[in-house]
Amino acid sequence: MLLSETAASIKSMEIRGAGRIARAAVEALADYAKNLDASDPETFKREMQRAADILTGTRPTAVSLPNAVRSVMRALDSFESVEAARDAVLARAAEFVDHSEHAVERIAAIGARHISDGDVLLTHCNSEAALGCILEAHRQGKEFEVYATEVRPRGQGLVTIRTLNDAGIRTNYIVDSAVRYFINDVDLVFVGADAIAVNGAVVNKIGTAQIAHAAHEARTNVIVAAETYKFAPRTILGELIEIEERDPDEVLPRAVAEELPFVQVRNPAFDVTPAEYVDLIVTEQGAIPPGLAYTVIRDCLGWKIEELR
Ligand code: RUB
């Protein structure tokens, strides 16, 4: 897919979910590098940076996107010719996609260990990593059922229930506001993440924080399934993760909104779940408590507090 097409598809959410967004961006960057006609390495790097900026500007919250793009762009730190730079970008992009796919498989294997026969799970939105754990437990022959939320306003829950249904997993489809009503029947909440801050706070689809709060109150464990590139390095500098606010039309048809001049529709796409409502984060490197988020940022992403002083 062309760079502009990929950027448009990410923005319109045809390509969605933090992991898929990251892989699509990296593939678009590789494709752009393959066809980029540049007279010298400096021009090549400049044009690549322009492409990288277009991709990272599409959706602001999923940190997997800038992390993935940065990991490919790091291949351009030193190079002698346009061809060498191109090869380095292509190799780094292929490596990222391969790593990402394996990470999801590894998370599925680790996360599935936490699911037992007879469990009732709840999942919110449509996370490849969280669903991976649920599908793997099912493949292993474990018997359980799932509650899946609708996910207003974009309805990602429909994608989730199709996947669960196709796998033959007993599923209850509920509106988002029914979570607290059912939470006492639930043993384990499984969600994904768009970003994880250094303090272990998890940014995920709007509604996740309410679910985690209800789960905490009911003493139901919350497990977050997230690749290490979902951790947000710049939060160690005190930067906050930007929460995307999407078009009001997604919530209320424009014609109706126009009849209500005193009403403003707010449509944040994500929210922040405090670390104290998260019991475990399952990464491809292993399962960690949220308090160990800094070690992931340091050891897996290479950001050290000491070097930032
Ligand atoms: C998707 C969402 C998902 C995370 C993790 O939001 O919040 O839970 O991105 O998904 P949107 P994954 O639909 O707005 O992109 O595990 O697939 O990376």
Side-chain angles (χ1 to χ4, degrees):
M1 213 190 268
L2 289 174
L3 180 89
S4 55
E5 283 173 14
T6 303
S9 300
I10 294 175
K11 219 178 170 82
S12 67
M13 291 176 62
E14 243 166 86
I15 299 173
R16 47 146 302 281
R20 289 189 184 92
I21 288 173
R23 289 197 296 277
V26 159
E27 278 163 353
L29 214 47
D31 188 62
Y32 188 74
K34 214 184 282 175
N35 301 308
L36 180 57
D37 191 15
S39 53
D40 57 88
E42 276 312 315
T43 313
F44 184 82
K45 187 175 179 175
R46 207 172 41 247
E47 284 302 308
M48 285 300 297
Q49 191 55 56
R50 207 183 51 80
D53 293 344
I54 291 173
L55 289 164
T56 51
T58 50
R59 291 195 79 190
T61 302
V63 76
S64 53
L65 174 58
N67 277 349
V69 166
R70 200 177 312 114
S71 95
V72 172
M73 291 302 287
R74 253 191 249 134
L76 292 174
D77 280 352
S78 66
F79 49 85
E80 283 155 14
S81 67
V82 169
E83 277 324 302
R86 196 188 320 273
D87 289 350
V89 165
L90 296 184
R92 192 69 73 91
E95 203 180 299
F96 180 88
V97 172
D98 186 60
H99 166 81
S100 167
E101 285 166 355
H102 280 101
V104 176
E105 284 167 22
R106 187 80 199 109
I107 288 169
I110 299 170
R113 289 183 206 147
H114 295 272
I115 300 172
S116 308
D117 270 330
D119 272 353
V120 176
L121 314 179
L122 183 142
T123 192
H124 182 56
C125 198
N126 178 253
S127 155
E128 163 178 68
L131 268 180
C133 303
I134 296 171
L135 293 172
E136 177 55 27
H138 176 71
R139 265 193 292 272
Q140 292 172 1
K142 293 178 183 172
E143 296 274 351
F144 55 86
E145 71 180 277
V146 179
Y147 278 77
T149 49
E150 183 182 27
V151 195
R152 275 276 294 155
R154 296 290 298 235
Q156 289 93 330
L158 196 54
V159 185
T160 295
I161 59 169
R162 285 217 169 94
T163 303
L164 293 168
N165 180 73
D166 291 351
I169 297 173
R170 211 142 49 90
T171 300
N172 307 280
Y173 186 45
I174 60 172
V175 296
D176 302 325
S177 45
V179 167
R180 196 175 184 291
Y181 182 82
F182 287 113
I183 198 70
N184 287 312
D185 300 339
V186 173
D187 298 294
L188 208 51
V189 172
F190 257 98
V191 289
D194 282 82
I196 299 173
V198 67
N199 63 2
V202 171
V203 178
N204 191 49
K205 179 53 55 193
I206 190 79
T208 304
Q210 267 176 208
I211 293 171
H213 188 205
H216 183 74
E217 191 191 33
R219 296 174 176 269
T220 297
N221 281 346
V222 174
I223 297 188
V224 175
E227 303 87 312
T228 51
Y229 55 78
K230 309 265 180 76
F231 287 70
R234 303 193 70 83
T235 56
I236 61 178
L237 304 171
E239 274 187 24
L240 297 177
I241 294 158
E242 185 184 340
I243 301 293
E244 174 184 14
E245 188 146 350
R246 295 186 61 86
D247 202 305
D249 291 10
E250 290 183 347
V251 178
L252 198 66
R254 185 163 299 181
V256 178
E258 278 168 3
E259 291 166 8
L260 307 167
F262 291 103
V263 176
Q264 183 191 10
V265 175
R266 302 291 307 270
N267 186 19
F270 302 97
D271 62 20
V272 184
T273 298
E276 59 264 37
Y277 297 161
V278 176
D279 293 282
L280 206 62
I281 302 176
V282 178
T283 78
E284 73 275 18
Q285 300 292 339
I288 57 160
L292 285 188
Y294 172 63
T295 60
V296 172
I297 293 175
R298 185 191 60 199
D299 300 343
C300 304
L301 304 176
W303 283 59
K304 296 191 178 62
I305 285 180
E306 307 83 86
E307 291 169 8
L308 298 169
R309 283 202 201 105

